[in-house]
Amino acid sequence: MNTPLDKKLKNFSIEQARLIREIVNKTVLDAVTGAGVDEDEENMYCEIDYDIIYGRLSGLEDIGVSLTIEKLSEFLDEHPAVNYSDAHNTGITLYLNDSETLQALGLLPTDGVMDMRL
């Protein structure tokens, strides 16, 4: 594959890229399903607490890679389910694409059955 996320990960080793991709996918999945999505007039969004994020980043630190929150936000922004992300004082808010996009990605049920294809 040659997705936008893959392009951003090209300078990382295979193991580092795999771990970063896993962190991004888990964080997006949490935003869509686990933590609960809120909606305003324009967006579906979810805040992921820094405690959760730092817990995930510890796997990278174990192999000697330090990833900033800002850099993680850049990677999150490349996920097709994410419109954009915003890091602030309590966590990262993920603003998600529309429900049709999330359904096409298998992140929302289309007929009562959840099909996860991250």
Side-chain angles (χ1 to χ4, degrees):
M1 281 192 293
N2 207 8
T3 67
L5 181 58
D6 291 331
K7 291 175 186 172
K8 282 209 175 266
L9 293 173
K10 71 179 179 182
N11 293 325
F12 290 87
S13 74
I14 292 171
E15 180 64 10
Q16 292 167 347
R18 184 190 66 75
L19 285 171
I20 293 168
R21 193 175 285 105
E22 188 176 289
I23 291 166
V24 168
N25 286 339
K26 282 182 180 180
T27 303
V28 170
L29 189 59
D30 278 355
V32 175
T33 62
V37 173
D38 293 315
E39 292 187 53
D40 60 20
E41 302 82 40
E42 300 170 8
N43 299 298
M44 290 188 299
Y45 62 92
C46 181
E47 182 176 317
I48 306 295
D49 189 86
Y50 279 138
D51 290 339
I52 293 169
I53 292 175
Y54 287 129
R56 294 208 173 119
L57 292 177
S58 67
L60 279 173
E61 291 170 3
D62 291 347
I63 62 170
V65 176
S66 179
L67 191 65
T68 65
I69 294 300
E70 292 77 17
K71 193 67 174 171
L72 177 60
S73 282
E74 289 178 27
F75 292 136
L76 289 165
D77 289 345
E78 297 302 329
H79 193 285
V82 177
N83 188 10
Y84 66 96
S85 62
D86 177 36
H88 46 82
N89 60 341
T90 59
I92 296 177
T93 300
L94 296 180
Y95 293 89
L96 303 169
N97 284 316
D98 58 74
S99 57
E100 292 82 21
T101 301
L102 298 178
Q103 287 175 339
L105 292 169
L107 295 171
L108 287 179
T110 53
D111 57 6
V113 177
M114 185 78 101
D115 174 26
M116 301 296 192
R117 282 182 273 147
L118 281 178

